[in-house]
Amino acid sequence: MIKNGRIVKSLAGFYDVEAEGEVYQTRARGNFRKKGMKPVVGDFVEFSAEENSEGYILKIGERKNSLIRPSIANIDQAVIIMSTVSPNFSLNLLDRFLVFLEHKNIHPMIYISKMDLLTEDQGSSEKSNKTFNQRADYEQIKRNYEQIGYDVFFDAEHLVSNLSGKVTVFMGQTGAGKTTLLNKIAPEMQLATGETSEKLGRGRHTTRHVEFFELAGGLIADTPGFSSLDYEVTNQPDLNAAFPEILKISHNCKFRECTHTHEPSCAVKVALENHEILESRYENYLQLLDEINHTRETYEKKRKKQG
Ligand SMILES: Nc1nc2c(ncn2[C@@H]2O[C@H](COP(=O)(O)OP(=O)(O)OP(=O)(O)O)[C@@H](O)[C@H]2O)c(=O)[nH]1
Ligand SMILES: [Mg+2]
Ligand SMILES: [Zn+2]
């Protein structure tokens, strides 16, 4: 019998497909691999449902979007989970996640975990502006990012109401607390979480596969964390567009193709001086722009060499 459903779990070559409230175990036929297409969680598929044996995926529906790492498709929104400590908070990594999601047209939200591990010390400590170890630091970050237009959450209760009716993916470094957050939302699930160690190296990931859970009136995907992120932006206009506050102001730059680095009459630089754009955001924009240019140069050199 041929049915239509959605892949809710992918593990060791098996795909769990949900159709009309039932879950079927299926495999993919080899012809997908030949076409370079691999079914992923979130895919809408046509499959053969057999009684007492596994079914086969026959067709993969068109994807509205897809991610490679984590491997998942047809996502509405993502929660970026960033911990205050272990692993340490990084605005640079946060901005990389945001650029990645903006570029993919996936609505980002930010959840900051491990707030309970912060000191309440209010003393004006001599710290570099890159370490954040007090609650007040995060309240400032929350205000700053909300100003840009992103929702920032410190606790699960406030996040939950934003999950209903949506397909949401949890993203973040390994050890950030993605699964812990999921367990807070649905304590009855009791998913395995990991102890963080100083060496968050290979093989330390606790969550090892992508899986959807029907929760809070929506679908939530827990994913394995990762240590590096390919944000997949390859040119300046796309990077510009992935920083909403820079994009908005860049319409007032004198040159339409302004990169906000050396050009005269750059509205972004003026906004930066007036503190209308965060310095850290601009710095991260410059860093990513540098990386993009560097990648392109390397690529072009290679091409010339090959003739
Ligand atoms: N104190 C405190 N510990 C937390 C919090 N969130 C997570 N942890 C701890 O951090 C460790 C890692 O949490 P996980 O939920 O397994 O992290 P994960 O993001 O799912 O990691 P991977 O599955 O490896 O990607 C566990 O020991 C959790 O108990 C928090 O809000 N407060
Ligand atoms: Mg996990
Ligand atoms: Zn400019």
Side-chain angles (χ1 to χ4, degrees):
M1 206 195 327
I2 309 266
K3 283 184 180 285
N4 288 295
R6 181 171 211 180
I7 301 179
V8 292
K9 180 176 172 178
S10 153
L11 187 63
F14 287 97
Y15 300 91
D16 285 359
V17 180
E18 205 235 63
E20 296 144 20
E22 270 187 69
V23 175
Y24 299 82
Q25 194 171 61
T26 70
R27 280 179 168 282
R29 283 245 154 95
N31 54 354
F32 286 119
R33 220 166 311 138
K34 267 181 242 143
K35 283 187 224 147
M37 218 183 165
K38 198 175 170 285
V40 298
V41 169
D43 268 332
F44 293 102
V45 296
E46 194 179 286
F47 68 104
S48 67
E50 309 295 336
E51 236 172 277
N52 304 323
S53 75
E54 70 214 20
Y56 276 95
I57 294 175
L58 305 167
K59 219 189 248 172
I60 303 174
E62 209 181 304
R63 294 169 181 162
K64 119 174 147 179
N65 54 39
S66 67
L67 310 182
I68 294 167
R69 218 171 34 161
S71 210
I72 195 165
N74 303 313
I75 300 300
D76 297 322
Q77 55 181 19
V79 182
I80 303 165
I81 288 112
M82 297 286 298
S83 51
T84 58
V85 288
S86 59
N88 280 343
F89 188 85
S90 154
L91 283 177
N92 188 272
L93 185 65
L94 173 60
D95 287 344
R96 281 170 193 266
F97 274 119
L98 288 170
V99 163
F100 174 72
L101 292 167
E102 291 286 355
H103 185 60
K104 292 268 178 190
N105 256 318
I106 298 172
H107 174 70
M109 291 181 282
I110 302 162
Y111 174 87
I112 299 177
S113 67
K114 311 194 191 183
M115 290 291 287
D116 56 299
L117 297 180
L118 292 172
T119 56
E120 287 290 339
D121 184 5
Q122 294 300 311
S124 62
S125 52
E126 281 290 309
K127 56 173 185 180
S128 93
N129 55 10
K130 292 246 161 75
T131 60
F132 308 97
N133 48 23
Q134 293 177 19
R135 194 177 169 92
D137 298 332
Y138 293 94
E139 272 155 10
Q140 186 63 52
I141 290 169
K142 181 169 154 76
R143 279 194 296 274
N144 288 344
Y145 278 78
E146 283 176 346
Q147 186 78 37
I148 300 169
Y150 297 119
D151 286 326
V152 182
F153 304 95
F154 292 156
D155 52 65
E157 298 89 274
H158 286 98
L159 174 68
V160 162
S161 60
N162 290 275
L163 304 178
S164 88
K166 296 273 162 62
V167 178
T168 308
V169 60
F170 281 8
M171 306 182 81
Q173 281 180 291
T174 185
K178 298 175 293 296
T179 306
T180 302
L181 175 59
L182 204 52
N183 281 335
K184 274 185 194 156
I185 294 170
E188 68 278 7
M189 292 210 302
Q190 297 192 15
L191 298 165
T193 61
E195 290 306 312
T196 42
S197 79
E198 290 302 303
K199 310 180 240 75
L200 279 171
R202 263 169 273 276
R204 294 255 346 141
H205 300 270
T206 304
T207 306
R208 287 166 184 281
H209 65 277
V210 184
E211 180 170 2
F212 270 140
F213 299 101
E214 230 170 290
L215 279 184
L219 282 181
I220 304 179
D222 190 14
T223 69
F226 36 82
S227 42
S228 71
L229 177 73
D230 178 8
Y231 47 87
E232 297 181 30
V233 178
T234 57
N235 59 58
Q236 191 276 335
D238 284 355
L239 185 67
N240 197 57
F243 283 82
E245 80 279 38
I246 293 180
L247 175 67
K248 202 165 136 208
I249 289 173
S250 68
H251 298 304
N252 300 327
C253 292
K254 182 172 178 192
F255 299 104
R256 208 154 61 104
E257 59 281 20
C258 187
T259 63
H260 327 308
T261 52
H262 60 277
E263 297 88 344
S265 305
C266 170
V268 169
K269 282 202 153 172
V270 173
L272 184 68
E273 264 154 44
N274 295 337
H275 304 289
E276 287 156 19
I277 288 179
L278 280 180
E279 213 168 297
S280 62
R281 292 275 292 172
Y282 180 68
E283 275 169 19
N284 290 334
Y285 161 83
L286 288 184
Q287 194 187 90
L288 297 189
L289 183 61
D290 234 39
E291 289 178 14
I292 289 167
N293 288 336
H294 183 77
T295 309
R296 172 165 304 159
E297 275 164 32
T298 321
Y299 173 77
E300 272 162 14
K301 254 188 228 151
K302 223 189 246 164
R303 236 183 32 172
K304 267 194 202 128
K305 236 191 213 162
Q306 287 168 345

